[in-house]
Amino acid sequence: MRSYKSLNDVVGWLVFAIATLTYLLTLEPTASFWDCGEFIACSYKLLVPHPPGAPTFLLLGRIFSLFSFGDVTKVSVLVNALSALSSSFTVLFLFWSITMLAKKLVLHRPVAGHTVPGTPEPTQGQTLLILGAGVVGALSFAFSDSFWFNAVEGEVYAMSSLCTAAVVWIMLKWENRAHEVDSDKWLILIAYVIGLSIGVHLLNLLAVPALAFIYYYRRTQNPTTMGGVITLAVSLVIVGLILAGIIPGLPTLAGSFEVFFVNIAGLPFNSGIIIFLVLFIGLLWFGFRYSFSKKSRLVNTAMLSLVFILIGYTSYLIIPIRSSYHPTINENNPEDVLSFVSYLKREQYGDRPLLYGPQFNARPIRYEDGAPRYVREGDKYVVAEKRQNIVYDDADKMLLPRIYSPQPEHLYNYQKWVDVREGVKPTMGQNLSFLFRYQMGHQFWRYFLWNYVGRESDIQQSGGLWPWNAGKAGLPERVAESPARNNFFAIPLILGLIGLFFHARRDSRNAFIVGLLFVFTGLAIVVYLNQPPIEPRERDYTFTGATYAFAIWIGLSVLGIAELLRKVLQADTARAIAASAIGLLAPAILVAQGWNDHDRSDRYNSVDSAKNLLNSLQPNAIVFTNGDNDTFPLWYAQEVEGVRTDVRVAVLSYLNTDWYIEQMRRRAYESQPLPISMPADRYKQGTNDYLPYAENPAVQEVNLKQFVDLVKQNSDLLKVSYGEGQPSMMSFPTRKFYLDVDTAAVEKLGLIPADRRKQLVSRMEWDMGKGAIEKKNLVILDMLATNNWKRPIYFSSTVAGSDFMNLQPYFQLEGMAYRVLPLKDPNYEPRSSDEGYVNKDLMFENMMKKFAFRNLNKPGIFYDENNLRFPANYRDKFARLANAYLAAGDKAKAKQVLDKAFEVMPDATIPYDYYSPQLVPALVTVGDQARAQDIMDKMTGRAQVALAYYQTHNPALFDIESQTYLMGLQGVYRAAEQVGDQARATKALELLQQYYPRQ
């Protein structure tokens, strides 16, 4: 038989191969939704993503992308494969970590891992037992829900897990070699990995307390409680020094030097940074000299560790370097040390109270100037903006504020978990109740159960699935038939608890270390994040460190089971085989249940939706989008695959910032700068952030071009003040806006479809409403006034109606976007959801010939909520197009459109529950009553079951999930009424009346 070391290596690499094969077979072939499109695009061209960036990930992603050898369609697969391999190596390091811990237990080595020279090799039975533990634990983690999800997409969390696994493994290696003269090299390697991990994600830092206890127990002959407290305190100080002292602290200090030596000493730009670097390097030199003079190994190791953390941290230099070249994606424009500090601190996202702060209805008593934001002007740095910090009454502050968000929708969701009332200060008991029930219970333990007990479905807010509630009787079809409905029968959980108890009994110190890792990468994150009562998506990917730690105990359960089998099976080898076989039930059921909902190998929806939107637009267009899922796939399509680079994508939320507006005024690929006429001083941060409505009875209406000119001139005619001593601000005096149109010039541009010539207006008129004009709205108004219809301007159809500024009467639907034209839709109704006049021929060309719907009709592919809602928008547009042809008397074309809608998205893959009632009237008109009735019957039947289930079995989800079904029933009712199907209309109405009062 081979030596233990040889077998440990071979089996480890075999586990690695299994994980790698699994992830590559289930890998998404394109850019997933959320941040993946942005990260893949930024990796491919080393662009600047959203703060705080991920430069280590970007650099490695760039290296992987080079293997595409010019085939840009392979870039996304390669960057996704980086996550797959990162995950595989995580599994490999976990295997070796488990076998190290298991070997100590099997050989009964002294606690805390004190190495005894001449420790005997494990016997054959012991070797099988140790390796079995490693295989069971590593593969259980490899096939766990959250980790597998991260492994098959181009995001940072897989690589973050790798950093955590690597430092734990390296620390255990150090523990076994701590008696060697050069053992500290392993500690320095950990420091370097931590430095690199800063350029991936900060989650890795939470492993430091566990590492500190490994060090303490190994270096201390007689550990004490006080020593443990001191060790924990020191480890938290180390985390704090890295988190606040090194990451933002050093750049902040460098920025202060820069401002002082440029503004006060009169030196040229970058002089302060050079002086800071010289002084800092001098301090490092002094530290090393001190360690040599005192012959202090501890100080020398600490200094080397600091230096190697900084070496790893230097990956961040790519951010300001690339930003200074003004790339096409350059979020926050961190091109100098001062803007770089703001970027690192993620200042654009604000902050949340952690240990002490205001509760949700705290009363602001004043505003104080916060840290200034500097920009270069001439040969000095000048203050561009002073951020305002709200100061609250001390009586409205409390320790550990959990109920803190003043947003109205958050108050409604707080009340689902605790009995809080508007205007009444929450008690400490209510805060703690929210912490334990929602933040820990719903946002951590629920996710934990997903991984090792089971998962009810993929629906947002769905819970875990215990064996005793796994039956499908009475379940909504969307839940019962979901591939994400996974029942593990709690086998991994039970095994993990066996491993935990066995580990705690045999080696309490190492069990404590693993427990510490579990707590800090799980519950401690919950406390630190202080999550609001509702999130835009599930956040389980944040807590894979905790599931990693628990997987160690799942592996060690093999040892515990073997101990239980000792009386039954005397032979070590037989006992090891039996225990391993029982333990392998965990990864076996995890992979069997999880494969179908983690297999993304045939999903192309996110990128196809982006390409379809871009291909909806005319040449040299401008399109306004929302953030994340609306935008990042578009960035990927343009930056990586080069799709429609003549189009300028403008993100509405970013248009509220000066750095983004400045970028929009530059050329990008084939796209000319946006037609923004305002000078930079009119949209700099702190200027015209929003313009309130201040009614002036003398002004009945305002000319848009004159209004924009007055804003550019900073005219006193638009200024208002809201109190003595308060600065004046620009406003708008009336809700009525108009824009004169040069009809002759518009006709020459050839913008008008033949059937809309009579709809051309010489004056566009609209009502801005009483809300404020935000900077983004001001920029759009500026472009409308300046563009003179030379460039097509669109809103994505997924943009919120509140951002349309009531311009809908002038919208033209051409695919997945609304074009703004000086043509007034004669049939527009303000309360109708059918916005935009349908340009039939252009929309037919786009949707029937240009659009891609890859695999949306292929059975067996798992589409989660995002992948269901996005393609469902196509149904709405197919219905609009079919109805437009019917209105024109062309039933043949309408039927062709309807057939296409069902061909590319049948109910079997994209359920009718999303945007299907709109198709019913058109289907009846073309004579396809059977299909129309099938839609109404299926939607009504599903709604009836789902609403009854959520009301009686899962009230917490009722308010969320009922919306989909109630809106569907409303659609069915209107459609049935429209086609004269009173029986189906009555049934839908009765269900609405039964459940709607709960809203």
Side-chain angles (χ1 to χ4, degrees), residues 725-743:
Q726 295 294 321
S728 59
M729 59 193 308
M730 303 297 283
S731 67
F732 63 105
T734 177
R735 296 162 50 184
K736 305 296 182 181
F737 278 67
Y738 69 89
L739 174 64
D740 289 326
V741 179
D742 185 342
T743 55

Side-chain angles (χ1 to χ4, degrees), residues 213 216-217 223-233 512:
F213 272 91
Y216 172 67
Y217 287 141
T224 62
T225 301
M226 180 55 67
V229 171
I230 294 172
T231 300
L232 180 61
F512 171 72

Side-chain angles (χ1 to χ4, degrees), residues 373-591:
R373 186 173 71 92
Y374 290 96
V375 295
R376 293 183 179 185
E377 189 173 295
D379 59 353
K380 301 284 185 184
Y381 288 102
V382 298
V383 177
E385 174 192 10
K386 283 191 175 181
R387 296 176 179 84
Q388 295 292 300
N389 294 330
I390 303 175
V391 178
Y392 294 96
D393 191 324
D394 287 339
D396 291 332
K397 294 181 180 179
M398 62 191 313
L399 290 171
L400 208 65
R402 304 289 101 180
I403 306 175
Y404 64 89
S405 175
Q407 298 181 31
E409 65 271 23
H410 283 174
L411 173 60
Y412 173 73
N413 284 283
Y414 280 133
Q415 291 171 334
K416 292 180 182 179
W417 299 95
V418 290
D419 183 23
V420 293
R421 299 178 184 178
E422 191 170 2
V424 179
K425 180 180 177 180
T427 65
M428 176 58 73
Q430 289 172 323
N431 267 275
L432 293 176
S433 176
F434 184 74
L435 168 64
F436 289 112
R437 293 188 62 202
Y438 175 77
Q439 293 181 328
M440 288 187 177
H442 193 68
Q443 292 296 91
F444 175 73
W445 289 115
R446 177 172 64 100
Y447 295 148
F448 178 77
L449 297 180
W450 281 8
N451 287 278
Y452 294 134
V453 172
R455 184 175 179 181
E456 185 181 42
S457 73
D458 65 298
I459 293 174
Q460 182 96 355
Q461 310 295 333
S462 64
L465 184 65
W466 291 96
W468 53 81
N469 66 358
K472 294 186 177 182
L475 286 175
E477 184 178 327
R478 176 75 177 83
V479 173
E481 303 303 324
S482 173
R485 184 174 175 79
N486 297 328
N487 186 6
F488 308 139
F489 301 99
I491 289 172
L493 174 67
I494 294 168
L495 292 178
L497 293 175
I498 292 172
L500 164 61
F501 294 135
F502 178 79
H503 199 198
R505 183 179 176 184
R506 287 295 183 87
D507 187 355
S508 59
R509 290 176 186 169
N510 275 319
F512 171 72
I513 289 168
V514 176
L516 205 63
L517 184 64
F518 179 87
V519 169
F520 272 89
T521 57
L523 297 173
I525 295 177
V526 172
V527 176
Y528 178 77
L529 291 178
N530 198 4
Q531 292 166 306
I534 188 169
E535 293 279 6
R537 61 167 168 156
E538 301 286 13
R539 303 293 191 186
D540 58 297
Y541 52 81
T542 308
F543 304 107
T544 52
T547 53
Y548 170 93
F550 193 79
I552 294 175
W553 286 325
I554 295 178
L556 296 181
S557 70
V558 172
L559 276 61
I561 293 170
E563 190 66 24
L564 294 173
L565 294 174
R566 184 174 292 277
K567 291 183 179 179
V568 179
L569 295 172
Q570 298 296 323
D572 288 352
T573 300
R575 191 168 58 252
I577 293 173
S580 298
I582 294 171
L584 284 171
L585 287 173
I589 197 169
L590 285 167
V591 72

Side-chain angles (χ1 to χ4, degrees), residues 73 143 342 392 603 751 846 887 934 939 990:
T73 62
F143 303 139
S342 175
Y392 294 96
R603 285 197 341 204
L751 306 177
N846 288 334
D934 184 52
M939 291 189 65
E990 288 174 351

Side-chain angles (χ1 to χ4, degrees), residues 104-147:
K104 297 174 190 175
L105 294 168
V106 168
L107 297 182
H108 304 288
R109 288 172 59 187
V111 293
H114 288 258
T115 300
V116 178
T119 299
E121 278 279 294
T123 64
Q124 177 178 320
Q126 290 173 330
T127 297
L128 289 175
L129 193 61
I130 294 167
L131 297 180
V135 170
V136 168
L139 290 182
S140 294
F141 182 63
F143 303 139
S144 62
D145 181 70
S146 300
F147 185 70

